[in-house]
Amino acid sequence: MSRPSVLLITPYLKQQRGNTVTSLRLLKGLSQLGYAMDMLSLDSPQGWSWAAERLSKGDYQLLHILHAASLEQVWQRLPDTAGLPLVLTTTGTDINVDLFGPQRPVIEKALQQADRIVVFSPTFVPILTSSLPDISAKLRIIPQAVDLSDHPAWNRSQLNYQGDDIIAVLPSGLRPVKRIEWALQAMEMAAVYCANLHLVVVGPNIDHRYAQAILNNIEQLPRTVYLGEVDHKEMAGLYGMADLVLNTSLVEGQPQAALEGMSMGLPAIMSAVTGNLGIMTSGKEGFYVDSPQELAQAMITLADNRPLRLEMGAAAASLVHQNYAVEWEWEQYHTLYRELLGS
């Protein structure tokens, strides 16, 4: 029996972004489960003509798209996809931002056209159904899993850090919705009280004007560095060197990079926003914060208390291993695919 053929389309592959990591993880897992997976990216011309030829021959049985705003572009480039069963994985900004802005008609149309809609958290269900109550039966909750490559911890001395330094890592692309300035403001306050506290920002430069302002600020801050974009295969090594992981987003789909750090035993400090809330229990695996001042205080608390840092880090790792196992995520998509393929 031939393997079902699925066309998976992601908005990004060139930069190390959340959609990039998610699409590659799904490609890997669903291929292992027996699907013939082809993947295209909206930020690359590669493969589109070949996919169009396959579509004209009826070679695909299912279309899977990440981010609701992608569907309109896919239909423009590949009109023959319009007849395929459609799985739509919403990824955060499409719900939190685009649904309430100029892109709303595009997002609503995509949600209405999809046969199954995946959200990462139950908190997104009422947001969607309040706008489009008729889509409730199509919604499925599948949290993103964590699937880090094994990599030895980075050598601290290569970055001029000492063994007793406390390293907080903020893995995030540089764009306004990630609110990097919170971390910089917090570091400026916390550095006064913690002489061995350091902040490492890592991620792609996405919004160049915003990024330039952030980089200018970093140059003026004590013990704060920007490492640029790091290959995802090396992120486990960075987390292995660090002591804390931060997320300062204005809105989130799911704090994937923070969960990766937590899986490596790092306590998390996250902004108390939709997408982050409900991931952990504040005071157990880390802290939720509502301002740069609260972020600074949480950083100081964890920097000054090694037993608490280790206790929260162990709890964070346990939580991720229990709730965000990659095998479970893949099996949920396998079940969803079978619903649409009738097998």
Side-chain angles (χ1 to χ4, degrees):
M1 183 177 178
S2 62
R3 300 194 299 165
S5 294
V6 178
L7 182 58
L8 175 65
I9 299 182
T10 179
Y12 308 107
L13 271 182
K14 289 182 179 179
Q15 290 182 313
Q16 204 68 49
R17 301 171 65 151
N19 285 309
T20 309
V21 174
T22 297
S23 58
L24 290 172
R25 187 179 64 252
L26 293 179
L27 180 71
K28 171 185 172 182
L30 292 165
S31 296
Q32 291 178 10
L33 288 172
Y35 294 93
M37 304 291 295
D38 287 339
M39 184 164 71
L40 301 175
S41 175
L42 292 174
D43 67 356
S44 170
Q46 188 172 355
W48 288 86
S49 58
W50 179 73
E53 183 178 348
R54 289 203 63 188
L55 280 162
S56 69
K57 298 176 182 178
D59 287 349
Y60 292 113
Q61 284 79 55
L62 191 144
L63 175 66
H64 186 171
I65 293 179
L66 274 64
H67 199 288
S70 302
L71 179 59
E72 186 170 89
Q73 297 180 60
V74 172
W75 278 352
Q76 290 172 355
R77 296 192 195 186
L78 298 173
D80 288 343
T81 57
L84 292 174
L86 171 61
V87 175
L88 179 62
T89 296
T90 58
T91 59
T93 53
D94 45 3
I95 301 177
N96 288 319
V97 178
D98 297 337
L99 185 60
F100 301 98
Q103 284 275 79
R104 184 182 183 95
V106 173
I107 302 302
E108 287 188 339
K109 182 178 180 180
L111 294 169
Q112 289 165 337
Q113 292 295 324
D115 296 289
R116 294 292 185 274
I117 302 164
V118 175
V119 295
F120 297 147
S121 166
T123 59
F124 292 116
V125 173
I127 295 174
L128 291 178
T129 55
S130 64
S131 298
L132 298 167
D134 292 343
I135 69 171
S136 59
K138 300 190 290 187
L139 293 172
R140 301 291 185 273
I141 301 167
I142 307 178
Q144 294 183 97
V146 170
D147 187 31
L148 279 177
S149 301
D150 290 333
H151 196 285
W154 289 11
N155 189 327
R156 288 186 166 212
S157 63
Q158 291 180 319
L159 295 175
N160 297 317
Y161 295 136
Q162 305 301 313
D164 61 348
D165 284 338
I166 304 300
I167 302 171
V169 60
L170 173 57
S172 175
L174 303 189
R175 55 183 178 135
V177 74
K178 296 302 182 181
R179 204 162 51 179
I180 309 298
E181 61 272 14
W182 265 35
L184 305 188
Q185 293 165 22
M187 184 62 192
E188 188 172 15
M189 291 181 274
V192 175
Y193 301 95
C194 298
N196 63 337
L197 179 63
H198 298 260
L199 174 63
V200 175
V201 181
V202 56
N205 181 334
I206 297 173
D207 184 305
H208 297 300
R209 179 178 294 183
Y210 175 80
Q212 190 57 57
I214 291 297
L215 296 178
N216 289 342
N217 286 341
I218 286 176
E219 289 181 0
Q220 308 302 317
L221 286 176
R223 302 189 300 280
T224 301
V225 297
Y226 171 61
L227 297 184
E229 187 171 357
V230 172
D231 192 299
H232 190 253
K233 295 177 181 177
E234 296 187 30
M235 287 301 293
L238 173 59
Y239 296 133
M241 178 189 72
D243 299 284
L244 321 170
V245 64
L246 311 182
N247 176 293
T248 55
S249 293
L250 179 64
V251 292
E252 264 294 349
Q254 183 181 301
Q256 189 66 7
L259 284 168
E260 290 177 349
M262 292 168 71
S263 77
M264 297 286 296
L266 302 184
I269 309 175
M270 294 192 276
S271 52
V273 298
T274 299
N276 284 347
L277 290 169
I279 292 290
M280 64 180 185
T281 301
S282 195
K284 183 177 180 182
E285 295 91 6
F287 296 106
Y288 286 118
V289 296
D290 285 304
S291 67
Q293 291 77 16
E294 290 186 11
L295 175 56
Q297 185 56 60
M299 292 170 71
I300 293 169
T301 297
L302 288 171
D304 284 347
N305 192 330
R306 185 174 186 273
L308 178 64
R309 199 166 64 242
L310 295 178
E311 178 185 342
M312 285 189 166
S318 177
L319 179 145
V320 173
H321 297 153
Q322 289 178 18
N323 295 348
Y324 301 95
V326 70
E327 294 81 8
W328 188 89
E329 178 194 40
W330 292 342
E331 187 59 38
Q332 293 305 300
Y333 276 101
H334 182 36
T335 299
L336 190 154
Y337 279 14
R338 286 186 294 180
E339 289 177 7
L340 297 179
L341 294 171
S343 62

